[in-house]
Amino acid sequence: MTRDNAKAAPPPGMLLAALVLLAGAAVGAVMAVNHSSTLYLVLGIVLFILCAFLGVVFLYAWFKGRNQT
């Protein structure tokens, strides 16, 4: 018997994607701290912000989907 309001489990690669994005945020932070030019500083900050934001969003979606199954 199935429930009418059953939610699907989160996609299997979502946790891996979130962890890879958070690793990308760490790489961006290292790039920004150890910059050799202004270009690397700006790219490191942008990479950190984007990867950290998307990584946290993916982790939130994964946890939320996992708790609703």
Side-chain angles (χ1 to χ4, degrees):
M1 185 163 100
T2 60
R3 294 178 9 205
D4 292 334
N5 60 355
K7 302 275 183 177
M14 184 171 274
L15 178 62
L16 180 63
L19 294 177
V20 167
L21 283 168
L22 291 176
V27 169
V30 170
M31 276 180 63
V33 170
N34 295 329
H35 64 279
S36 57
S37 68
T38 307
L39 177 66
Y40 285 125
L41 174 65
V42 171
L43 287 176
I45 291 171
V46 169
L47 184 67
F48 173 77
I49 290 171
L50 289 176
C51 288
F53 175 74
L54 288 175
V56 168
V57 167
F58 276 30
L59 271 178
Y60 174 76
W62 184 77
F63 278 117
K64 187 173 180 182
R66 186 170 175 233
N67 289 335
Q68 290 181 356
T69 56

